């Protein structure tokens, strides 16, 4: 049963942390606006995570093209729109220094997030990932800020190498182990696509592991991921890209063929979907 809109942030934080302690993995889908957040709540999901790229596109911007203030406003809007715990995609903390990552965690908690992730990506093309020493210091600072929140905050540390073509499993595991020692609550290496690699990560750490689903080549089900030991499954920008895929297919059919067969695949009525939305 979903939490009520009146659930306090501390209660949401407790509920969110407890989801990671269950035997079976849970799916934390990534809405990109208030409407999709409310629909996911209606469908029975137990928590939500923001998506930096999905939200950026709603504003006509590229991924990593938003200011921290815009992301914080988005977090606050989603938190106010549903009774579910919200975990935030906080990119690399919107700055290079550990102190900036810590401040971002503090501000995200103030905006209503009960969890959030910090990446070890730099935003630099020639050096896309921080050296492990600085990356670990950034996680340690973020953890300290998370522990200082009054309601509680689940800190996820992300090792981004696979997303930048640096598919070195040993280095990824070494990073995740360092982030674990720095106090991260959840570990996450987006880009893993094989059962063996995921199993190697899970067996190498003693914190809950998040896996990014919906990637080409990753065809494991939720039950199969649970059997490996994964605790949380997110989809990143997947739902936003699925929606945009349908939109573009329909638009191209109209523009190039002058036909409207796409309408037969659309939901029959928005009113039926939104009947539980507030006036």
């Amino acid at each position: 049963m979903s939490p009520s809109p009146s659930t306090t942030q501390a209660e949401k934080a407790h509920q969110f942390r407890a989801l990671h302690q269950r035997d079976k993995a849970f799916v934390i889908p990534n809405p990109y606006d208030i409407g999709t957040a409310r629909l996911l709540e209606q469908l029975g999901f137990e928590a939500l995570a923001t998506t930096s790229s999905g939200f950026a596109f709603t504003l006509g911007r590229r991924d990593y093209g938003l200011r921290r203030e815009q992301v914080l406003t988005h977090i606050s809007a989603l938190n106010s729109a549903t009774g579910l715990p919200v975990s935030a995609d906080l990119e690399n903390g919107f700055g290079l220094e550990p102190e900036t990552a810590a401040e971002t965690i503090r501000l995200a908690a103030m905006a209503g997030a009960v969890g959030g992730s910090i990446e070890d990506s730099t935003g630099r093309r020639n050096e896309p990932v921080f050296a492990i020493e600085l990356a670990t210091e950034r996680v340690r600072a973020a953890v300290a800020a998370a522990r200082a929140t009054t309601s509680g905050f689940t800190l996820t540390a992300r090792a981004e190498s696979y997303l930048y073509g640096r598919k070195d499993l040993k280095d990824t595991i070494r990073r995740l182990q360092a982030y674990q020692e720095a106090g991260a609550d959840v570990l996450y290496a987006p880009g893993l696509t094989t059962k063996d690699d995921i199993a190697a990560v899970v067996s190498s750490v003693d914190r809950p592991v998040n896996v990014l689903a919906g990637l080409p080549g990753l065809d494991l089900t939720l039950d199969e991921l649970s059997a490996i030991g994964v605790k949380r499954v997110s989809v990143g920008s997947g739902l936003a890209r699925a929606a945009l895929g349908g939109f573009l297919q329909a638009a191209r059919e109209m523009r190039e063929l002058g036909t409207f067969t796409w309408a037969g695949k659309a939901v029959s009525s928005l009113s039926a979907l939104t009947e539980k939305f507030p006036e």
Side-chain angles (χ1 to χ4, degrees):
M1 184 175 181
S2 295
S4 70
S6 61
T7 304
T8 68
Q9 188 169 349
E11 290 170 330
K12 289 181 180 180
H14 176 75
Q15 292 162 354
F16 186 58
R17 185 174 293 273
L19 290 174
H20 298 80
Q21 308 308 318
R22 300 190 308 197
D23 291 336
K24 184 175 181 179
F26 72 99
V27 176
I28 183 167
N30 304 76
Y32 45 89
D33 60 14
I34 288 174
T36 52
R38 287 177 171 162
L39 288 174
L40 290 168
E41 181 178 31
Q42 286 182 199
L43 288 171
F45 288 98
E46 299 171 281
L48 303 173
T50 66
T51 161
S52 60
S53 56
F55 172 53
F57 193 83
T58 68
L59 301 181
R61 304 297 297 271
R62 295 181 180 180
D63 196 12
Y64 299 102
L66 299 178
R67 300 186 306 275
R68 181 167 67 180
E69 292 74 16
Q70 292 173 298
V71 171
L72 293 171
T73 299
H74 178 59
I75 293 168
S76 180
L78 295 192
N79 179 63
S80 299
T82 83
L84 297 180
V86 174
S87 184
D89 178 349
L90 298 171
E91 301 182 4
N92 69 358
F94 299 96
L96 304 183
E97 298 301 321
E99 295 79 10
T100 306
E103 177 68 0
T104 295
I105 296 299
R106 187 184 70 83
L107 293 172
M110 290 179 61
V114 298
S117 59
I118 292 292
E119 304 171 2
D120 60 7
S121 60
T122 65
R124 301 167 179 163
R125 182 170 297 180
N126 295 333
E127 188 183 2
V129 179
F130 285 106
I132 189 171
E133 295 80 12
L134 178 54
T136 303
E137 284 302 311
R138 285 164 41 82
V139 172
R140 185 173 291 111
V143 168
R147 298 292 179 268
T149 61
T150 56
S151 59
F153 193 97
T154 298
L155 193 285
T156 298
R158 296 175 45 151
E160 300 288 292
S161 297
Y162 270 62
L163 295 185
Y164 292 96
R166 300 186 174 190
K167 298 185 177 182
D168 184 335
L169 185 62
K170 290 183 179 180
D171 180 66
T172 293
I173 289 174
R174 185 165 65 98
R175 286 173 173 272
L176 293 177
Q177 289 173 334
Y179 305 159
Q180 172 180 292
E181 291 302 311
D185 301 301
V186 178
L187 302 171
Y188 182 15
L192 301 177
T193 58
T194 73
K195 181 177 181 179
D196 288 346
D197 284 357
I198 295 170
V201 166
V202 170
S203 65
S204 298
V205 297
D206 63 9
R207 303 292 162 87
V209 171
N210 183 102
V211 165
L212 176 63
L215 296 173
L218 179 58
D219 56 1
L220 298 174
T221 66
L222 183 63
D223 285 343
E224 289 169 333
L225 289 167
S226 288
I228 296 172
V230 172
K231 293 295 185 180
R232 191 175 82 190
V233 178
S234 58
V235 293
S237 64
L239 289 175
R241 289 184 288 105
L244 288 170
F247 173 88
L248 288 172
Q249 186 177 20
R252 285 170 176 152
E253 180 186 343
M254 291 188 292
R255 179 68 182 86
E256 297 171 8
L257 302 178
T259 59
F260 307 89
T261 63
W262 57 267
K265 301 176 183 178
V267 294
S268 59
S269 172
L270 286 179
S271 61
L273 288 174
T274 60
E275 60 183 9
K276 295 183 180 179
F277 285 9
E279 295 293 337

